[in-house]
Amino acid sequence: MNHKAQLIHARTSVPTIQLFTRTLQTCWAVLFAITIVSEIYPLRPVPAKVFYAYLIFRGILFVLLGFLTPLAFWRFDSLTLGLLSSVVSAGFVEILQSFSGGHRASYLEFSAKAAVLFVGFALALNTRYNGIVRLGTFYRYLVNPHQKD
C-alpha cells in the first residue's frame, strides 16, 4: 500500500483502490475477453426470459468495460478519448460479429454498444475526479499515483 493509500486508510478505515495497476488492467483485459466472447458466440433459440436476461448481462458487461477503462489506464482522461475508445471498441465487436456465423453487423447495435460504453466511461471519469467509487452503501476511495498531494 503506498503512502497516500495508507493516509486515507488510517483516517477512514475504508479500503482503497489503487488506480492504474496491473490488477485493474488484468481485470479490464478479462472483462474485454468475456465481452467479446459473449458477443461472438451465437445464442441458440432460448425462452424470452433467458434471452432478455442475456441482453441485460451483455449491457452490464459493456457498462463495466467502459467504466473500468479510465480507472485502469492513466491516459484515458478525457471525454474525447472516451468517445473514441467507445466507437473503436463497438466497431471492433461489430466487425468480429460480421465474420462470426449466426451474426451480422448492425448500425443500431453498433450505436447502442458505443453509447453504453461511453456512459460507463463518463461515469468513471466522474468517479476518478471525485476520488471515490460509490454504489449504494458500498464505497471505496481511489488512490491516484499521478496526483500530487
Side-chain angles (χ1 to χ4, degrees):
M1 191 180 294
N2 72 13
H3 180 67
K4 291 178 194 175
Q6 289 173 348
L7 289 175
I8 291 172
H9 185 70
R11 284 185 296 194
T12 62
S13 73
V14 173
T16 58
I17 298 172
Q18 177 88 20
L19 297 176
F20 322 123
T21 61
R22 289 276 181 225
T23 303
L24 278 179
Q25 293 167 356
T26 302
C27 289
W28 181 90
V30 168
L31 189 60
F32 184 76
I34 291 169
T35 304
I36 294 296
V37 169
S38 75
E39 287 292 316
I40 300 302
Y41 186 73
L43 186 64
R44 303 290 179 232
V46 293
K49 286 182 183 179
V50 174
F51 176 74
Y52 289 116
Y54 181 68
L55 283 181
I56 290 169
F57 170 73
R58 285 177 29 199
I60 290 170
L61 284 177
F62 274 96
V63 170
L64 288 175
L65 188 62
F67 188 84
L68 201 53
T69 301
L71 301 182
F73 302 103
W74 176 59
R75 295 281 183 196
F76 288 93
D77 61 353
S78 71
L79 286 176
T80 305
L81 286 175
L83 183 60
L84 180 64
S85 71
S86 299
V87 168
V88 169
S89 298
F92 178 70
V93 168
E94 287 299 313
I95 289 170
L96 286 178
Q97 278 188 337
S98 69
F99 295 116
S100 172
H103 283 291
R104 61 185 169 90
S106 163
Y107 289 113
L108 180 61
E109 279 190 32
F110 167 75
S111 300
K113 289 171 189 169
V116 170
L117 279 165
F118 184 68
V119 165
F121 192 96
L123 289 172
L125 276 184
N126 190 43
T127 297
R128 185 169 149 177
Y129 175 77
N130 290 331
I132 188 168
V133 173
R134 285 185 193 183
L135 185 61
T137 58
F138 172 85
Y139 65 97
R140 296 290 184 263
Y141 290 102
L142 302 175
V143 179
N144 184 343
H146 300 288
Q147 188 175 16
K148 301 209 189 279
D149 290 331

